[in-house]
Amino acid sequence: MDELLAGISGGRGGRGGRGRKKGGRKGVKGSRFIYMGKGKANIAWPGLTTPLGRSYYKLNWLNSKDLGPQPFVEGTEASFLASQLEGAKQVERRVSEQNWSQYGWSGRKWGGRYVGCPEAPDGTPLTEFASVVIELGRVANQTKAGKKRTVRALVVVGNGKGAAGYAIGKGEEMKTAIRKAKNKAVNCLQFIPRCGGNTVYHDLRAKKCQTTIVMEKQLPGHGLHCHRAIAAICTLAGLKDLKAKVIGSTNLTNVVRAAFKGLAAQETHQELADRNSKFMVELRREAGYRPGVCAVPKHLDTPNTTAMLRELKVVRL
């Protein structure tokens, strides 16, 4: 009978073994930032029965930088603040020594980082080119032996003078994939025309799969108001003033392909004049909307035509 009562009131399957344990020690929350810990009496009063907690030191650390001459005793407030100040100085020193190009678009991710210059097949560094990582992702391929993990890197290179290119590299490690991508991209360069050395020749629209990019020509000083991947491409290509809008999918690979497709398909003023066999005249706001001849058809570019333009005092842009 006693064993039956014990099985009902306690032990395995009994009510006493279920739920939260009763009689546990409770802490007292004194304020918003200080949590009073637990002691032998189940209650500890910081500053009275126990030393101040680390949360209190962290709260007042920023306002206590001038400590003055204080004895360094292990486990006291002065020792904690001294260690915090030393750690902050080391972090500040480490950050100041790093180059700004080592930081990407967001935090410590690889997107947007400058990864140096590419190399020639013989190992010679091509110092006139720079490279930026656009995307870095991990890929897993299922095989009979298991999953084979690799890294995929999308890198853009350029010299800032109208030559830029992109490529995709794969490798078992991040550095290997980035090195393969930038060395491959320097062999796939495209010429990007620049109007005045700072913007595109005309508004354009490019599409790749479900990604559409609309680019608008801007005046000097406008800056790059566009997607961060497009801004990296324009910086490496030497474009300084551009406004672009991405419509549809923002897949980085398609964004890069569409951007290069549109920039490389520009029609310069000379090409437009030759195609239509007409003078190319442009009205600019900074010139007071006065007509200026941008290009002359090649079959009409004779000494007589040049003399006529000089007599009319038309400014060539």
Side-chain angles (χ1 to χ4, degrees):
M1 190 67 180
D2 296 338
E3 294 179 358
L4 181 61
L5 291 175
I8 297 174
S9 59
R12 185 174 182 182
R15 190 178 183 85
R18 294 182 179 181
R20 186 176 299 175
K21 182 180 179 181
K22 297 182 179 180
R25 296 181 178 180
K26 298 181 179 180
V28 179
K29 190 173 183 181
S31 65
R32 183 178 179 182
F33 299 101
I34 304 175
Y35 185 83
M36 298 182 181
K38 304 172 185 178
K40 295 183 179 179
N42 293 339
I43 295 178
W45 302 96
L48 297 178
T49 59
T50 59
L52 295 176
R54 296 176 67 88
S55 61
Y56 177 81
Y57 300 147
K58 293 180 181 180
L59 177 63
N60 298 276
W61 171 59
L62 295 176
N63 300 326
S64 305
K65 290 189 176 181
D66 296 332
L67 298 177
Q70 296 186 9
F72 184 86
V73 180
E74 188 68 27
T76 61
E77 180 181 3
S79 63
F80 178 77
L81 289 175
S83 62
Q84 290 290 319
L85 290 175
E86 183 62 27
K89 291 179 181 178
Q90 293 180 1
V91 172
E92 185 178 358
R93 191 181 308 113
R94 185 166 58 251
V95 170
S96 62
E97 292 176 356
Q98 290 181 350
N99 188 8
W100 64 270
S101 62
Q102 297 179 359
Y103 297 91
W105 294 324
S106 59
R108 298 181 179 180
K109 296 185 178 180
W110 279 92
R113 286 194 183 185
Y114 284 79
V115 289
C117 57
E119 298 179 355
D122 57 352
T124 305
L126 305 175
T127 56
E128 64 272 13
F129 287 91
S131 54
V132 177
V133 177
I134 302 297
E135 186 181 19
L136 188 69
R138 299 183 180 275
V139 183
N141 183 24
Q142 185 67 38
T143 61
K144 294 183 179 179
K147 288 186 177 181
K148 182 180 179 182
R149 302 184 182 275
T150 57
V151 181
R152 175 183 179 274
L154 174 61
V155 180
V156 176
V157 301
N159 62 350
K161 300 178 181 180
Y166 71 95
I168 297 175
K170 298 181 180 180
E172 297 181 357
E173 297 181 359
M174 292 186 296
K175 294 183 178 180
T176 304
I178 293 173
R179 177 179 52 81
K180 290 182 179 180
K182 66 181 181 180
N183 293 343
K184 181 181 178 181
V186 79
N187 296 325
C188 305
L189 296 176
Q190 301 182 28
F191 177 71
I192 298 178
R194 298 177 298 161
C195 180
N198 66 308
T199 186
V200 294
Y201 277 90
H202 53 83
D203 298 348
L204 53 94
R205 187 185 187 97
K207 183 177 180 180
K208 181 64 178 179
C209 296
Q210 299 300 322
T211 302
T212 304
I213 300 179
V214 180
M215 300 183 184
E216 297 179 3
K217 180 180 179 180
Q218 298 296 333
L219 297 175
H222 182 272
L224 297 173
H225 295 187
C226 50
H227 191 277
R228 56 190 183 183
I230 302 176
I233 296 171
C234 293
T235 302
L236 294 176
L239 297 174
K240 302 177 183 179
D241 306 295
L242 182 70
K243 181 180 180 181
K245 176 68 176 179
V246 179
I247 303 173
S249 174
T250 56
N251 180 275
L252 290 177
T253 303
N254 290 337
V255 169
V256 171
R257 289 175 177 174
F260 272 94
K261 179 180 178 181
L263 293 174
Q266 298 181 65
E267 189 175 23
T268 63
H269 295 160
Q270 186 63 45
E271 294 174 351
L272 182 61
D274 295 340
R275 180 168 60 85
N276 296 324
S277 299
K278 296 180 180 180
F279 288 87
M280 179 62 185
V281 180
E282 186 176 17
L283 304 177
R284 291 193 177 185
R285 184 173 62 183
E286 61 270 22
Y289 295 102
R290 291 175 297 181
V293 177
C294 300
V296 179
K298 291 183 179 180
H299 65 280
L300 296 178
D301 192 6
T302 60
N304 295 334
T305 305
T306 305
M308 180 185 64
L309 293 177
R310 290 178 180 176
E311 292 177 0
L312 294 176
K313 298 181 180 180
V314 178
V315 181
R316 285 179 176 269
L317 300 180

